[in-house]
Amino acid sequence: MADTNKSATLTLEGKSFELPVLSPTAGPDVIDVRKLYAQAGVFTYDPGFTSTASCDSTITFIDGDKGELLHRGYPIDQLAEKSHYLEVCFLLLYGHLPTAVELEEFESLVTRHTMIHEQMHYFFRGFRRDSHPMATMVGVVGAMSAFYHDSLDINDQQQREVASIRLIAKMPTIAAMTYKYSIGQPFVYPRNDLDYAANFLHMCFSVPAEQYNVDPILARAMDRIFTLHADHEQNASTSTVRLASSSGANPFACIAAGIACLWGPAHGGANQACLEMLREIGTVDRIPEYLARAKDKNDPFRLMGFGHRVYKNFDPRAKVMKESADEVLALLGVENNPTLQVAKELEKIALEDPYFIEKKLYPNVDFYSGIILDAIGFPTSMFTPIFALARTVGWVSQWKEQLADPQLKIGRPRQLYLGSTTKDYVDIENR
Ligand code: CMC
């Protein structure tokens, strides 16, 4: 972040205040209002943070107009095509692409942390089997702070490192366990001879009674889904993690907060909501009815998997996801899947519709991911836990970055108060 020679002038009741303008390496300039209240006695007002940078960061950059997503400078389509999830994890965490030795060491470290404390198995059993897997996941990840006392000290760099690796390594195990628990099957332990994505499929789909061979194409599709969800700068769940962490909360509590936020249908919950919507539409002839509902201001219905706060051209992740969907469905011989037909037609019609063009609403990452996950065999309730496990590295990278910032302050937004001013308490008999 560099000071520019530019400044912005705010004029208020005849007085002028100079506000420094900071220059990013990419993206629009930023007006620095940190001293505004002290100098001018006013707050800025920006619910939903549509014009506010909440922090500085060197991890991920999005240009919503160009449809560009960069991790540490590398475009997401190149990473999705040439790299793989654990390499992207290294990149996000440490800022550079690993050498062969660094990658091998990192993969080995993550692989050797995939088992969870055995007593956590009993903790799982306290949940109802019909709980949503996200409910279980929020609880279990939060409870990691009760099991891993030796990585709770956020002021100890080594402990922060261990907590990061534990979270990235154990999240697939926890997600798979939530699934197994919900269907009444035994938990499956991780296998160190498999890679990250293949091991996740193994823990979800194998049973002790027979041999399960992971299909490499499905493992590749799974890995790509993880890669495409790895980080997305200051989205709602990441901002939640940062805000929780700003108070000094432990890493597992912060990531549990991120999972809770991700669950909402406007964020990570959209992948489940999108597939359910596509199934509800059911056939291509019913698309106009749903489009009309999406445009009706009096109907709360929204086209799930469409629109994004930042992308106003296209979501680069959706492009890669669509290719993966075609690949996976062809492999499984289900190209004529009716849900896919509805999705393709819906995308075509919506992209030509003046309402969607005018509001710059394009398919987002969640539009096609559900179709792939469904084809692999996951129930819709597992879609958001899979998003959560993939996003963990983004949360952890942003958490580490924030803790290393010497300027870190507790996050404490101000408000525009519109309630009553002071009034005297009225005794109950006089109300
Ligand atoms: N269907 C119909 N209309 C929409 C939609 C949609 N999916 N999304 C936005 N609009 C309309 C909205 O009604 C508003 O219209 P108007 O200007 O007349 O009031 C306009 O477009 C702008 O919408 P907004 O809600 O002000 O935009 P936002 O930036 O606050 O919301 C969003 C972004 C992603 C929450 C929203 O587009 C949405 O609810 N989409 C559906 C849920 C979804 O797919 N979410 C996944 C996002 S990508 C994965 C992730 O980040 O987790």
Side-chain angles (χ1 to χ4, degrees):
M1 162 175 65
D3 274 324
T4 58
N5 290 327
K6 291 184 262 177
S7 67
T9 309
L10 174 78
T11 309
L12 197 69
E13 293 170 355
K15 277 197 195 152
S16 288
F17 301 93
E18 290 294 305
L19 301 168
V21 173
L22 307 175
S23 184
T25 46
D29 283 350
V30 171
I31 300 174
D32 180 351
V33 295
R34 280 176 292 181
K35 299 205 172 113
L36 182 65
Y37 178 57
Q39 289 172 354
V42 290
F43 299 146
T44 54
Y45 178 59
D46 186 17
F49 297 98
T50 52
S51 302
T52 297
S54 59
C55 62
D56 54 77
S57 179
T58 60
I59 301 174
T60 291
F61 173 72
I62 302 174
D63 183 328
D65 293 321
K66 281 206 250 163
E68 182 176 66
L69 167 61
L70 309 177
H71 291 322
R72 304 286 191 181
Y74 297 98
I76 189 64
D77 48 336
Q78 289 185 26
L79 294 173
E81 192 196 334
K82 298 181 179 166
S83 183
H84 62 275
Y85 183 68
L86 279 187
E87 185 176 67
V88 172
C89 288
F90 185 100
L91 176 67
L92 289 168
L93 285 166
Y94 305 112
H96 62 94
L97 285 172
T99 61
V101 173
E102 284 173 327
L103 182 61
E104 200 189 322
E105 281 172 8
F106 180 70
E107 287 183 340
S108 154
L109 193 63
V110 171
T111 306
R112 277 161 187 79
H113 278 84
T114 47
M115 277 172 36
I116 62 166
H117 193 295
E118 194 64 14
Q119 206 176 325
M120 289 184 88
H121 290 223
Y122 301 101
F123 185 72
F124 264 93
R125 294 183 204 284
F127 289 93
R128 282 175 56 137
R129 286 205 190 259
D130 59 357
S131 308
H132 192 288
M134 282 298 275
T136 313
M137 213 166 169
V138 173
V140 172
V141 173
M144 285 174 79
S145 37
F147 288 91
Y148 299 102
H149 297 156
D150 58 347
S151 49
L152 296 182
D153 182 357
I154 58 160
N155 298 314
D156 179 330
Q157 213 221 321
Q158 178 57 20
Q159 293 202 25
R160 296 208 295 255
E161 197 58 33
V162 174
S164 307
I165 297 295
R166 278 185 171 147
L167 277 158
I168 293 162
K170 295 182 197 312
M171 206 60 98
T173 314
I174 292 171
M177 286 172 76
T178 63
Y179 174 53
K180 286 298 197 188
Y181 188 70
S182 71
I183 56 172
Q185 287 188 3
F187 296 135
V188 174
Y189 286 97
R191 262 180 53 188
N192 285 2
D193 60 322
L194 295 175
D195 68 29
Y196 193 86
N199 178 47
F200 178 61
L201 292 175
H202 153 76
M203 290 188 291
C204 288
F205 296 120
S206 77
V207 287
E210 60 188 52
Q211 178 77 19
Y212 171 79
N213 294 321
V214 182
D215 187 312
I217 297 189
L218 295 189
R220 172 76 190 135
M222 196 72 250
D223 188 88
R224 202 172 255 196
I225 287 182
F226 293 160
T227 301
L228 292 175
H229 286 90
D231 189 44
H232 214 224
E233 53 120 301
Q234 308 313 320
N235 57 82
S237 56
T238 303
S239 300
T240 302
V241 170
R242 280 188 178 258
L243 196 56
S245 145
S246 74
S247 73
N250 77 64
F252 306 112
C254 295
I255 301 304
I259 295 173
C261 176
L262 186 81
W263 193 1
H267 193 7
N271 52 13
Q272 170 171 355
C274 180
L275 196 82
E276 285 167 0
M277 175 196 77
L278 293 173
R279 283 187 182 147
E280 189 185 307
I281 298 175
T283 48
V284 168
D285 58 302
R286 296 188 65 203
I287 291 175
E289 182 195 324
Y290 282 83
L291 279 187
R293 285 188 61 194
K295 292 190 245 175
D296 181 355
K297 283 269 151 264
N298 300 316
D299 189 330
F301 174 77
R302 281 189 168 200
L303 218 50
M304 300 315 285
F306 264 78
H308 198 273
R309 168 61 61 79
V310 183
Y311 294 121
K312 300 298 174 197
N313 187 334
F314 67 94
D315 179 339
R317 302 167 301 170
K319 229 168 121 186
V320 183
M321 204 64 95
K322 188 176 180 180
E323 285 165 21
S324 274
D326 287 335
E327 242 174 67
V328 169
L329 297 184
L331 169 82
L332 298 173
V334 286
E335 297 103 313
N336 294 327
N337 173 328
T339 317
L340 182 70
Q341 300 306 324
V342 172
K344 286 197 164 161
E345 198 55 27
L346 181 62
E347 180 183 5
K348 197 165 141 246
I349 299 174
L351 290 180
E352 288 164 2
D353 188 295
Y355 173 93
F356 289 86
I357 294 171
E358 190 202 313
K359 296 193 187 300
K360 300 187 174 178
L361 300 171
Y362 296 86
N364 58 48
V365 67
D366 292 325
F367 192 67
Y368 281 106
S369 63
I371 292 172
I372 305 176
L373 293 173
D374 176 54
I376 294 179
F378 288 104
T380 52
S381 60
M382 276 304 289
F383 293 3
T384 316
I386 289 170
F387 190 159
L389 95 78
R391 181 56 57 84
T392 296
V393 69
W395 293 328
V396 166
S397 305
Q398 304 262 353
W399 167 79
K400 282 179 77 186
E401 180 178 65
Q402 175 171 279
L403 287 180
D405 181 354
Q407 297 190 62
L408 172 63
K409 276 184 181 316
I410 186 166
R412 195 353 181 145
R414 307 307 291 251
Q415 63 172 6
L416 169 64
Y417 178 66
L418 297 174
S420 298
T421 50
T422 314
K423 50 190 178 190
D424 286 327
Y425 181 79
V426 180
D427 291 330
I428 197 157
E429 61 274 15
N430 297 327
R431 285 176 215 161

